Amino acid sequence: MPPQGILMYDSLKVVPTGARLLGLECFSAVNLWTPPGNRGVFGGQIIAQALMAANQTIDGMDLHSTHCYFLLPCDSRKSVTYAVERLRDGKSYSTRLVHAIQDSETIFTLTCSFSMPRGNSGTKRFQREFPEDITPFRDAYDNRWNDHITVMSDFGVKIADTEENRQKFFASKERPLTAFGARPQEGKYFNQRAVWLQPHLGDSRKLTPNEIRAMIGYMTDTQAIATAGRTIGLSADSNPKLGMVATIDHTIHYYPFPEGYDGTQPLLHVLEAHIVDLQVGRGYITGRVYTEDGVLIATTSQEGVVRAQAPGVKPRRETAKL
């Protein structure tokens, strides 16, 4: 299994500052990570930390949806404050608005809704079926180096298949999850990407259900908008090459976890591009998050910048932001 370096809980963690900003409860990030080649902190981490801050202002309710916008890049060398605004506290639903602030500027906003757990009002349930032609988690895990080369190309970065690069990849401990392809994005799946997501939790305490939902916020921003670029053939090897991908907004709707799911098991994120238009430089994708046993526990949608490289301009790979 992956080397245990940075753990997921440490990447999610925020702590109360004890101060208020314009009357709002404030929390600060403990850990910020900028992926190699990115201008700003990984967008999924900002999503997750904002949700963790909102979670601390809620008691007895389950997170059921969130919608967020990335406004400015986040600098990992500087502190981030998450200011939580209580928009509504009701008997059945409560809503929070989280402002991520750095250098006195709002760099990110997130709205999330919580609901009271419901009793069993019936047994009927419909969900989209678990997708076909998926490589089982263990088999896909063994092929993750080759998948890494493909994924980095989808972000406009060419990785040489050398033994030195291979060893560096397998020794890396900088990410709190391992992500790798579960099915090639080609043929009839040309506009789809299926990704196994395995968090690194180590021996840290068990996550609460709402913390698991925040973790899903982190993981589902992985490889997401790159699906759109690949759909129209943009990569590090294409002509023209991929110039830029960056998330604009991200939405998640959560559904009940099956019995026994505690966040330690791998999840499958199946992404599908619906439109990519280089004239406006944007693409839109949706996703479905399944447990390894095939239970659908979340849906996602994301719009992002997708641009081809202009002649003489160096490619940019970003998750945050414009």
Side-chain angles (χ1 to χ4, degrees), residues 103 143 183 190 242 259 270:
D103 286 343
N143 190 48
R183 184 178 63 195
F190 79 99
L242 176 69
E259 185 176 353
V270 182

Side-chain angles (χ1 to χ4, degrees), residues 195-318:
V195 185
W196 283 114
L197 303 167
Q198 174 65 68
H200 304 172
L201 295 172
D203 297 325
S204 59
R205 67 168 177 79
K206 286 189 175 182
L207 301 181
T208 68
N210 277 348
E211 289 173 340
I212 293 173
R213 294 178 181 109
M215 180 182 75
I216 291 172
Y218 185 111
M219 298 197 298
T220 54
D221 195 39
T222 299
Q223 302 185 20
I225 197 59
T227 306
R230 167 66 72 169
T231 295
I232 55 173
L234 290 178
S235 71
D237 298 311
S238 62
N239 186 18
K241 296 181 179 181
L242 176 69
M244 178 181 177
V245 288
T247 309
I248 297 173
D249 67 276
H250 192 79
T251 298
I252 310 172
H253 292 89
Y254 301 92
Y255 285 84
F257 298 149
E259 185 176 353
Y261 177 73
D262 61 5
T264 61
Q265 304 92 330
L267 296 175
L268 179 72
H269 193 197
V270 182
L271 298 147
E272 182 175 7
H274 294 268
I275 183 170
V276 191
D277 191 333
L278 289 184
Q279 184 174 354
V280 294
R282 290 184 285 115
Y284 173 73
I285 62 170
T286 60
R288 309 190 305 276
V289 181
Y290 294 90
T291 65
E292 193 174 12
D293 294 331
V295 179
L296 183 63
I297 61 171
T299 62
T300 64
S301 65
Q302 186 175 102
E303 186 179 45
V305 173
V306 181
R307 295 174 184 165
Q309 182 180 348
V313 177
K314 185 179 179 180
R316 292 167 63 186
R317 179 171 65 91
E318 306 181 26

